[in-house]
Amino acid sequence: FGLIHKQVFDTLAKMGLEEIKAVGEEFDPNFHNAVLHIDDDAYGSQEIVEVLQSGYKINEKVINTEPHACIIYQPSFPQYF
């Protein structure tokens, strides 16, 4: 099954299919769907930390109906209480 999977993706890549890069990138609501926000100073503001479901585009056009799900770093709001 793995070999067939690779052959299909290689063929689609030749036709212009590519995975939308996300990890380490800044969150973009046009391509990403944040499903979880974490509060960790090890990451930059709005930085994508993990991808739960990959998204794809072909010739610069997003082809999946849902943007791919990701986890981003969102600084917490200051506590005033």
Side-chain angles (χ1 to χ4, degrees):
F1 180 74
L3 181 60
I4 294 171
H5 183 266
K6 182 180 178 342
Q7 289 175 339
V8 169
F9 269 89
D10 287 348
T11 300
L12 292 171
K14 289 177 185 174
M15 297 169 53
L17 179 77
E18 62 181 301
E19 183 177 350
I20 297 171
K21 303 297 182 213
V23 175
E25 301 290 325
E26 184 174 332
F27 177 76
D28 180 351
N30 296 312
F31 293 108
H32 310 121
N33 181 25
V35 295
L36 182 66
H37 294 235
I38 63 169
D39 188 7
D40 187 338
D41 292 333
Y43 303 103
S45 181
Q46 299 292 313
E47 180 180 344
I48 298 173
V49 175
E50 184 178 345
V51 173
L52 304 176
Q53 177 184 346
S54 295
Y56 295 90
K57 58 185 177 178
I58 189 163
N59 299 325
E60 298 303 316
K61 180 179 178 185
V62 177
I63 60 170
N64 51 335
T65 57
E66 289 292 323
H68 63 288
C70 58
I71 299 172
I72 64 169
Y73 167 68
Q74 179 76 36
S76 61
F77 292 103
Q79 298 293 325
Y80 294 107
F81 304 104

Coordinates of all heavy atoms in Angstrom, one line a residue:
F1 N 0.8 -1.2 0.0 CA 0.0 0.0 0.0 C 0.9 1.3 0.0 O 0.5 2.2 -0.6 CB -0.9 0.0 1.2 CG -1.8 1.2 1.3 CD1 -2.9 1.3 0.4 CD2 -1.6 2.2 2.2 CE1 -3.7 2.4 0.4 CE2 -2.4 3.3 2.2 CZ -3.5 3.4 1.4
G2 N 2.0 1.2 0.7 CA 2.8 2.4 0.8 C 3.4 2.8 -0.5 O 3.5 4.0 -0.8
L3 N 3.8 1.8 -1.3 CA 4.4 2.1 -2.7 C 3.3 2.7 -3.6 O 3.6 3.7 -4.3 CB 4.9 0.8 -3.3 CG 5.5 1.0 -4.7 CD1 6.7 1.9 -4.6 CD2 6.0 -0.4 -5.2
I4 N 2.1 2.2 -3.5 CA 1.0 2.8 -4.4 C 0.7 4.2 -3.9 O 0.5 5.1 -4.8 CB -0.3 1.9 -4.3 CG1 0.0 0.6 -4.9 CG2 -1.4 2.6 -4.9 CD1 -1.1 -0.5 -4.7
H5 N 0.7 4.4 -2.6 CA 0.4 5.8 -2.1 C 1.5 6.8 -2.6 O 1.2 7.9 -3.0 CB 0.5 5.7 -0.5 CG 0.2 7.0 0.1 ND1 1.2 7.9 0.5 CD2 -1.0 7.6 0.5 CE1 0.6 8.9 1.1 NE2 -0.7 8.8 1.1
K6 N 2.8 6.3 -2.5 CA 3.9 7.2 -3.0 C 3.7 7.5 -4.5 O 3.9 8.6 -4.9 CB 5.2 6.6 -2.7 CG 6.4 7.4 -3.1 CD 7.7 6.7 -2.8 CE 8.9 7.5 -3.3 NZ 8.8 8.5 -4.2
Q7 N 3.4 6.5 -5.3 CA 3.3 6.7 -6.7 C 2.1 7.6 -7.1 O 2.3 8.5 -8.0 CB 3.0 5.3 -7.4 CG 4.2 4.4 -7.4 CD 3.9 3.0 -8.0 OE1 2.8 2.6 -8.1 NE2 5.0 2.3 -8.4
V8 N 1.0 7.5 -6.4 CA -0.1 8.4 -6.6 C 0.3 9.8 -6.3 O 0.0 10.8 -7.0 CB -1.4 8.0 -5.8 CG1 -2.4 9.1 -5.8 CG2 -1.9 6.7 -6.3
F9 N 0.9 10.1 -5.1 CA 1.3 11.4 -4.7 C 2.4 12.0 -5.6 O 2.4 13.1 -5.9 CB 1.7 11.5 -3.3 CG 0.6 11.8 -2.3 CD1 -0.2 10.8 -1.8 CD2 0.3 13.1 -2.0 CE1 -1.2 11.1 -1.0 CE2 -0.8 13.4 -1.2 CZ -1.6 12.4 -0.7
D10 N 3.3 11.1 -6.1 CA 4.3 11.6 -7.1 C 3.7 12.0 -8.4 O 4.1 13.0 -8.9 CB 5.4 10.5 -7.3 CG 6.3 10.2 -6.1 OD1 6.3 11.1 -5.2 OD2 7.0 9.2 -6.2
T11 N 2.7 11.3 -8.8 CA 2.0 11.6 -10.1 C 1.3 12.9 -9.9 O 1.3 13.8 -10.8 CB 1.0 10.5 -10.5 OG1 1.8 9.3 -10.7 CG2 0.3 10.9 -11.7
L12 N 0.6 13.1 -8.8 CA -0.2 14.3 -8.5 C 0.8 15.5 -8.3 O 0.5 16.6 -8.8 CB -1.1 14.2 -7.3 CG -2.2 13.2 -7.4 CD1 -2.9 13.0 -6.1 CD2 -3.2 13.7 -8.5
A13 N 2.0 15.3 -7.7 CA 2.9 16.4 -7.6 C 3.4 16.8 -9.0 O 3.6 18.0 -9.2 CB 4.1 15.9 -6.8
K14 N 3.6 15.9 -9.9 CA 4.0 16.3 -11.3 C 2.9 17.2 -11.9 O 3.2 18.0 -12.8 CB 4.2 15.1 -12.1 CG 5.5 14.4 -11.7 CD 5.6 13.1 -12.5 CE 6.8 12.3 -12.0 NZ 7.0 11.0 -12.7
M15 N 1.6 17.1 -11.5 CA 0.5 17.8 -12.0 C 0.3 19.1 -11.2 O -0.6 19.9 -11.5 CB -0.8 17.0 -11.9 CG -0.7 15.8 -12.8 SD -2.1 14.6 -12.5 CE -3.5 15.6 -12.7
G16 N 1.2 19.4 -10.2 CA 1.1 20.7 -9.5 C 0.6 20.6 -8.1 O 0.5 21.6 -7.4
L17 N 0.3 19.4 -7.6 CA -0.2 19.3 -6.2 C 0.9 19.4 -5.2 O 2.0 18.9 -5.4 CB -0.8 17.9 -6.0 CG -1.4 17.6 -4.6 CD1 -2.7 18.3 -4.5 CD2 -1.5 16.1 -4.4
E18 N 0.7 20.2 -4.2 CA 1.6 20.4 -3.1 C 0.9 20.6 -1.8 O -0.2 21.1 -1.7 CB 2.6 21.5 -3.4 CG 1.9 22.9 -3.5 CD 2.9 24.0 -3.8 OE1 3.9 24.2 -3.0 OE2 2.8 24.7 -4.8
E19 N 1.6 20.1 -0.7 CA 1.0 20.2 0.6 C 1.3 21.7 1.1 O 2.3 22.3 0.8 CB 1.7 19.3 1.6 CG 1.2 19.3 3.0 CD 1.9 18.3 3.9 OE1 2.6 17.4 3.4 OE2 1.6 18.4 5.1
I20 N 0.3 22.2 1.7 CA 0.4 23.6 2.3 C 1.3 23.5 3.5 O 1.0 22.8 4.5 CB -1.0 24.2 2.7 CG1 -1.8 24.3 1.4 CG2 -0.8 25.5 3.3 CD1 -3.3 24.7 1.7
K21 N 2.4 24.2 3.4 CA 3.4 24.2 4.6 C 2.8 24.9 5.7 O 2.2 26.0 5.5 CB 4.7 24.8 4.1 CG 5.4 24.1 2.9 CD 5.7 22.7 3.2 CE 6.4 22.0 2.0 NZ 6.1 20.6 1.9
A22 N 3.0 24.4 6.9 CA 2.4 25.1 8.1 C 3.3 25.2 9.3 O 3.4 26.3 9.9 CB 1.1 24.4 8.4
V23 N 3.9 24.1 9.7 CA 4.7 24.1 11.0 C 5.8 25.1 10.9 O 6.5 25.2 10.0 CB 5.2 22.7 11.3 CG1 6.1 22.7 12.5 CG2 4.1 21.7 11.5
G24 N 5.8 26.0 11.9 CA 6.8 27.1 12.0 C 6.4 28.3 11.2 O 7.0 29.4 11.4
E25 N 5.3 28.3 10.5 CA 4.8 29.4 9.7 C 3.8 30.2 10.6 O 3.3 29.7 11.6 CB 4.1 29.0 8.5 CG 4.9 28.2 7.5 CD 6.0 29.0 6.8 OE1 5.7 30.2 6.5 OE2 7.1 28.5 6.6
E26 N 3.6 31.5 10.2 CA 2.6 32.3 10.9 C 1.2 31.9 10.5 O 0.9 31.6 9.3 CB 2.8 33.8 10.6 CG 1.9 34.7 11.3 CD 2.2 36.2 11.1 OE1 3.3 36.5 10.8 OE2 1.3 37.0 11.3
F27 N 0.3 31.8 11.4 CA -1.1 31.4 11.1 C -1.8 32.4 10.1 O -1.7 33.6 10.2 CB -1.9 31.5 12.4 CG -3.4 31.2 12.3 CD1 -3.8 29.9 12.1 CD2 -4.3 32.2 12.2 CE1 -5.1 29.6 11.9 CE2 -5.7 31.9 12.1 CZ -6.1 30.6 11.9
D28 N -2.4 31.8 9.1 CA -3.1 32.5 8.0 C -4.5 31.9 7.9 O -4.6 30.7 7.4 CB -2.3 32.4 6.7 CG -3.0 33.1 5.5 OD1 -4.1 33.6 5.7 OD2 -2.4 33.2 4.5
P29 N -5.5 32.6 8.3 CA -6.9 32.0 8.2 C -7.3 31.6 6.8 O -8.3 30.9 6.7 CB -7.7 33.1 8.8 CG -7.0 34.4 8.7 CD -5.5 34.0 8.7
N30 N -6.7 32.1 5.8 CA -7.0 31.7 4.4 C -6.6 30.2 4.1 O -7.1 29.6 3.2 CB -6.4 32.6 3.4 CG -6.9 34.0 3.5 OD1 -8.1 34.2 3.6 ND2 -6.0 35.0 3.6
F31 N -5.6 29.7 4.9 CA -5.1 28.4 4.6 C -5.2 27.5 5.9 O -5.1 26.3 5.7 CB -3.6 28.4 4.2 CG -3.4 29.1 2.9 CD1 -2.8 30.3 2.8 CD2 -3.8 28.4 1.7 CE1 -2.6 30.9 1.6 CE2 -3.6 29.0 0.5 CZ -3.0 30.3 0.4
H32 N -5.3 28.1 7.0 CA -5.3 27.3 8.3 C -6.5 27.4 9.1 O -7.2 28.4 9.1 CB -4.1 27.7 9.1 CG -2.8 27.8 8.4 ND1 -2.1 29.0 8.3 CD2 -2.1 26.9 7.7 CE1 -1.0 28.8 7.5 NE2 -1.0 27.5 7.2
N33 N -6.8 26.4 9.8 CA -8.0 26.3 10.7 C -7.4 26.0 12.1 O -7.1 24.8 12.4 CB -9.0 25.3 10.3 CG -10.2 25.2 11.1 OD1 -10.5 26.2 11.8 ND2 -10.9 24.1 11.1
A34 N -7.4 27.0 13.0 CA -6.9 26.7 14.4 C -7.9 26.0 15.2 O -9.0 26.4 15.4 CB -6.5 28.0 15.0
V35 N -7.5 24.8 15.7 CA -8.4 24.0 16.5 C -8.0 24.1 18.0 O -8.8 23.6 18.9 CB -8.5 22.6 16.1 CG1 -9.2 22.5 14.7 CG2 -7.2 21.9 16.0
L36 N -6.8 24.6 18.3 CA -6.3 24.6 19.6 C -5.3 25.8 19.7 O -4.5 25.9 18.8 CB -5.7 23.3 20.0 CG -5.1 23.2 21.4 CD1 -6.3 23.2 22.5 CD2 -4.4 21.9 21.6
H37 N -5.3 26.5 20.8 CA -4.3 27.5 21.1 C -3.6 27.1 22.3 O -4.1 26.7 23.3 CB -5.0 28.9 21.4 CG -5.7 29.4 20.2 ND1 -5.5 30.7 19.7 CD2 -6.7 28.9 19.4 CE1 -6.3 30.9 18.7 NE2 -7.0 29.9 18.5
I38 N -2.2 27.3 22.3 CA -1.4 26.9 23.4 C -0.7 28.2 23.9 O -0.5 29.1 23.1 CB -0.4 25.8 23.1 CG1 0.6 26.3 22.0 CG2 -1.1 24.5 22.7 CD1 1.8 25.3 21.9
D39 N -0.3 28.2 25.1 CA 0.4 29.3 25.7 C 1.7 28.8 26.1 O 1.9 28.3 27.2 CB -0.4 29.9 26.9 CG 0.2 31.2 27.5 OD1 1.1 31.7 26.8 OD2 -0.3 31.6 28.5
D40 N 2.7 29.0 25.3 CA 4.1 28.5 25.5 C 5.0 29.6 24.9 O 5.0 29.8 23.7 CB 4.3 27.2 24.9 CG 5.6 26.5 25.2 OD1 6.5 27.3 25.6 OD2 5.7 25.3 25.1
D41 N 5.9 30.2 25.7 CA 6.8 31.2 25.2 C 7.9 30.7 24.4 O 8.7 31.5 23.8 CB 7.4 32.0 26.4 CG 6.3 32.8 27.2 OD1 5.3 33.2 26.5 OD2 6.5 33.0 28.4
A42 N 8.0 29.4 24.1 CA 9.0 28.8 23.3 C 8.7 29.1 21.8 O 9.5 28.9 20.9 CB 9.1 27.3 23.5
Y43 N 7.5 29.6 21.5 CA 7.1 29.8 20.1 C 6.8 31.3 19.9 O 6.4 32.0 20.8 CB 5.8 29.0 19.8 CG 6.0 27.5 20.0 CD1 5.5 26.9 21.1 CD2 6.8 26.7 19.1 CE1 5.7 25.5 21.3 CE2 7.0 25.4 19.3 CZ 6.4 24.8 20.4 OH 6.6 23.5 20.6
G44 N 6.8 31.7 18.6 CA 6.5 33.1 18.3 C 5.0 33.3 18.3 O 4.2 32.3 18.2
S45 N 4.6 34.5 18.3 CA 3.1 34.8 18.3 C 2.5 34.4 17.0 O 3.1 34.6 15.9 CB 2.9 36.3 18.4 OG 1.6 36.6 18.4
Q46 N 1.4 33.7 17.1 CA 0.7 33.1 15.9 C 1.4 32.1 15.1 O 1.1 31.8 14.0 CB 0.2 34.3 15.0 CG -0.7 35.3 15.6 CD -2.1 34.7 15.9 OE1 -2.6 34.1 15.1 NE2 -2.5 34.9 17.2
E47 N 2.4 31.5 15.7 CA 3.2 30.5 15.0 C 2.5 29.1 15.1 O 2.0 28.7 16.1 CB 4.6 30.3 15.7 CG 5.5 29.3 15.0 CD 6.8 29.1 15.7 OE1 7.2 30.0 16.5 OE2 7.5 28.1 15.5
I48 N 2.5 28.4 14.0 CA 1.8 27.1 14.0 C 2.8 26.1 14.6 O 4.0 26.0 14.1 CB 1.5 26.7 12.5 CG1 0.4 27.7 12.0 CG2 0.9 25.3 12.5 CD1 0.1 27.5 10.6
V49 N 2.3 25.4 15.5 CA 3.2 24.5 16.3 C 3.0 23.0 15.8 O 4.0 22.3 15.7 CB 2.8 24.5 17.8 CG1 3.5 23.5 18.6 CG2 3.0 25.9 18.3
E50 N 1.8 22.6 15.4 CA 1.6 21.2 15.0 C 0.4 21.2 14.0 O -0.5 22.0 14.1 CB 1.2 20.4 16.2 CG 1.0 18.9 15.9 CD 0.7 18.1 17.2 OE1 1.0 18.6 18.3 OE2 0.3 17.0 17.0
V51 N 0.5 20.3 13.1 CA -0.6 20.1 12.1 C -1.3 18.8 12.4 O -0.7 17.8 12.5 CB 0.0 20.1 10.6 CG1 -1.1 19.8 9.6 CG2 0.6 21.4 10.3
L52 N -2.6 18.9 12.5 CA -3.4 17.7 12.7 C -4.0 17.1 11.5 O -4.2 15.9 11.4 CB -4.6 18.1 13.7 CG -4.2 18.7 15.0 CD1 -5.4 19.1 15.8 CD2 -3.3 17.8 15.8
Q53 N -4.2 17.9 10.5 CA -4.7 17.5 9.2 C -4.1 18.4 8.1 O -4.3 19.6 8.1 CB -6.2 17.6 9.1 CG -6.8 17.2 7.8 CD -8.3 17.3 7.8 OE1 -9.0 17.5 8.8 NE2 -8.9 17.3 6.6
S54 N -3.4 17.8 7.2 CA -2.7 18.5 6.1 C -3.7 19.1 5.1 O -4.7 18.5 4.8 CB -1.7 17.7 5.4 OG -0.7 17.3 6.3
G55 N -3.4 20.2 4.5 CA -4.1 20.8 3.4 C -3.3 20.8 2.2 O -2.1 20.7 2.2
Y56 N -3.9 20.8 1.0 CA -3.2 20.7 -0.2 C -3.7 21.8 -1.2 O -4.8 22.3 -1.1 CB -3.5 19.4 -0.9 CG -2.9 18.3 -0.1 CD1 -3.6 17.6 0.9 CD2 -1.5 17.9 -0.3 CE1 -3.0 16.6 1.7 CE2 -1.0 16.9 0.5 CZ -1.7 16.3 1.5 OH -1.2 15.3 2.2
K57 N -2.8 22.2 -2.1 CA -3.2 23.1 -3.2 C -2.6 22.6 -4.5 O -1.6 21.8 -4.5 CB -2.7 24.5 -2.9 CG -1.2 24.7 -2.7 CD -0.9 26.1 -2.3 CE 0.6 26.2 -2.0 NZ 1.0 27.6 -1.7
I58 N -3.3 23.0 -5.6 CA -2.8 22.6 -6.9 C -2.7 23.8 -7.7 O -3.7 24.6 -7.8 CB -3.7 21.5 -7.6 CG1 -3.0 20.9 -8.8 CG2 -5.0 22.0 -7.9 CD1 -3.6 19.6 -9.3
N59 N -1.5 24.1 -8.2 CA -1.2 25.3 -9.0 C -1.7 26.6 -8.2 O -2.4 27.4 -8.8 CB -1.9 25.2 -10.4 CG -1.3 24.1 -11.2 OD1 -0.1 23.8 -11.1 ND2 -2.2 23.4 -12.0
E60 N -1.3 26.6 -7.0 CA -1.6 27.8 -6.1 C -3.1 27.9 -5.7 O -3.5 28.9 -5.1 CB -1.1 29.1 -6.7 CG 0.4 29.1 -6.9 CD 1.2 28.9 -5.6 OE1 0.8 29.4 -4.5 OE2 2.1 28.1 -5.6
K61 N -4.0 27.0 -6.0 CA -5.4 27.0 -5.7 C -5.6 25.9 -4.6 O -5.3 24.8 -4.8 CB -6.3 26.8 -6.9 CG -7.7 26.8 -6.5 CD -8.6 26.6 -7.8 CE -10.0 26.6 -7.3 NZ -10.9 26.3 -8.5
V62 N -6.2 26.3 -3.5 CA -6.5 25.4 -2.4 C -7.6 24.4 -2.9 O -8.6 24.9 -3.4 CB -7.0 26.1 -1.1 CG1 -7.4 25.1 -0.1 CG2 -5.9 27.0 -0.6
I63 N -7.4 23.1 -2.8 CA -8.3 22.2 -3.4 C -9.2 21.5 -2.3 O -10.2 20.9 -2.7 CB -7.6 21.1 -4.3 CG1 -6.6 20.3 -3.5 CG2 -7.0 21.8 -5.5 CD1 -6.1 19.2 -4.2
N64 N -8.8 21.5 -1.1 CA -9.6 20.8 -0.1 C -10.7 21.8 0.5 O -10.4 23.0 0.5 CB -8.8 20.2 1.1 CG -7.8 21.2 1.7 OD1 -7.4 22.2 1.0 ND2 -7.5 21.0 2.9
T65 N -11.8 21.3 0.8 CA -12.9 22.2 1.2 C -12.7 22.8 2.6 O -13.2 23.9 2.9 CB -14.2 21.4 1.3 OG1 -14.1 20.3 2.1 CG2 -14.6 20.9 -0.1
E66 N -12.0 22.1 3.5 CA -11.7 22.7 4.8 C -10.2 23.0 4.9 O -9.4 22.2 4.5 CB -12.0 21.7 5.9 CG -13.5 21.5 6.1 CD -14.2 22.7 6.6 OE1 -13.6 23.3 7.5 OE2 -15.3 23.0 6.2
P67 N -9.8 24.1 5.4 CA -8.4 24.4 5.6 C -7.8 23.4 6.6 O -8.6 22.8 7.4 CB -8.3 25.8 6.2 CG -9.7 26.4 5.9 CD -10.6 25.2 5.8
H68 N -6.6 23.1 6.5 CA -6.1 22.0 7.4 C -6.0 22.5 8.9 O -5.8 23.7 9.2 CB -4.8 21.4 6.9 CG -3.6 22.3 6.9 ND1 -3.5 23.3 5.9 CD2 -2.5 22.4 7.6 CE1 -2.3 23.9 6.1 NE2 -1.7 23.4 7.1
A69 N -6.3 21.6 9.8 CA -6.3 21.9 11.2 C -5.0 22.0 11.8 O -4.1 21.2 11.5 CB -7.1 20.7 11.9
C70 N -4.8 22.9 12.7 CA -3.5 23.1 13.3 C -3.6 23.7 14.7 O -4.6 24.2 15.1 CB -2.6 24.1 12.4 SG -3.3 25.7 12.1
I71 N -2.5 23.6 15.4 CA -2.4 24.1 16.7 C -1.4 25.3 16.7 O -0.3 25.2 16.1 CB -1.8 23.1 17.7 CG1 -2.8 21.9 17.8 CG2 -1.6 23.6 19.1 CD1 -2.2 20.7 18.5
I72 N -1.8 26.5 17.2 CA -1.0 27.6 17.2 C -0.7 28.2 18.5 O -1.4 27.9 19.5 CB -1.6 28.8 16.3 CG1 -2.9 29.3 16.9 CG2 -1.8 28.3 14.9 CD1 -3.4 30.6 16.3
Y73 N 0.4 28.9 18.7 CA 0.7 29.6 19.9 C 0.0 30.9 19.9 O 0.1 31.7 19.0 CB 2.2 29.9 20.0 CG 2.6 30.9 21.1 CD1 2.4 30.5 22.4 CD2 3.0 32.1 20.8 CE1 2.7 31.4 23.4 CE2 3.3 33.0 21.8 CZ 3.2 32.7 23.1 OH 3.4 33.6 24.1
Q74 N -0.8 31.1 20.9 CA -1.6 32.4 21.1 C -1.2 32.9 22.5 O -1.6 32.3 23.5 CB -3.1 32.1 21.0 CG -3.9 33.3 21.2 CD -3.9 34.2 20.0 OE1 -3.9 33.8 18.9 NE2 -4.0 35.5 20.2
P75 N -0.5 34.0 22.6 CA -0.2 34.5 23.9 C -1.5 34.8 24.7 O -2.5 35.2 24.1 CB 0.5 35.9 23.7 CG 0.9 35.8 22.2 CD -0.1 34.9 21.5
S76 N -1.5 34.4 26.0 CA -2.7 34.6 26.8 C -2.9 36.1 27.1 O -2.0 36.9 27.0 CB -2.6 33.8 28.1 OG -1.5 34.3 28.8
F77 N -4.2 36.4 27.4 CA -4.5 37.8 27.7 C -4.0 38.1 29.1 O -3.9 37.2 30.0 CB -6.0 38.0 27.7 CG -6.6 37.9 26.3 CD1 -7.2 36.8 25.9 CD2 -6.4 39.0 25.4 CE1 -7.7 36.7 24.6 CE2 -6.9 38.9 24.1 CZ -7.6 37.8 23.7
P78 N -3.5 39.3 29.4 CA -3.0 39.6 30.7 C -4.1 39.4 31.8 O -5.3 39.7 31.5 CB -2.6 41.1 30.6 CG -2.7 41.5 29.2 CD -3.5 40.4 28.5
Q79 N -3.7 38.9 32.9 CA -4.6 38.7 34.0 C -4.7 40.0 34.8 O -3.7 40.5 35.3 CB -4.2 37.6 34.9 CG -4.1 36.2 34.2 CD -5.5 35.8 33.8 OE1 -6.5 36.0 34.5 NE2 -5.6 35.1 32.6
Y80 N -5.9 40.6 34.9 CA -6.1 41.8 35.7 C -6.7 41.5 37.0 O -7.0 42.4 37.8 CB -7.0 42.8 34.9 CG -6.3 43.3 33.6 CD1 -6.7 42.8 32.4 CD2 -5.2 44.1 33.7 CE1 -6.0 43.3 31.2 CE2 -4.6 44.6 32.6 CZ -5.0 44.2 31.3 OH -4.4 44.6 30.2
F81 N -7.0 40.3 37.3 CA -7.7 40.0 38.6 C -6.8 39.3 39.6 O -6.0 38.5 39.3 CB -9.0 39.1 38.3 CG -9.9 39.7 37.3 CD1 -10.0 39.3 36.0 CD2 -10.7 40.8 37.7 CE1 -10.8 39.9 35.1 CE2 -11.6 41.4 36.8 CZ -11.6 40.9 35.5

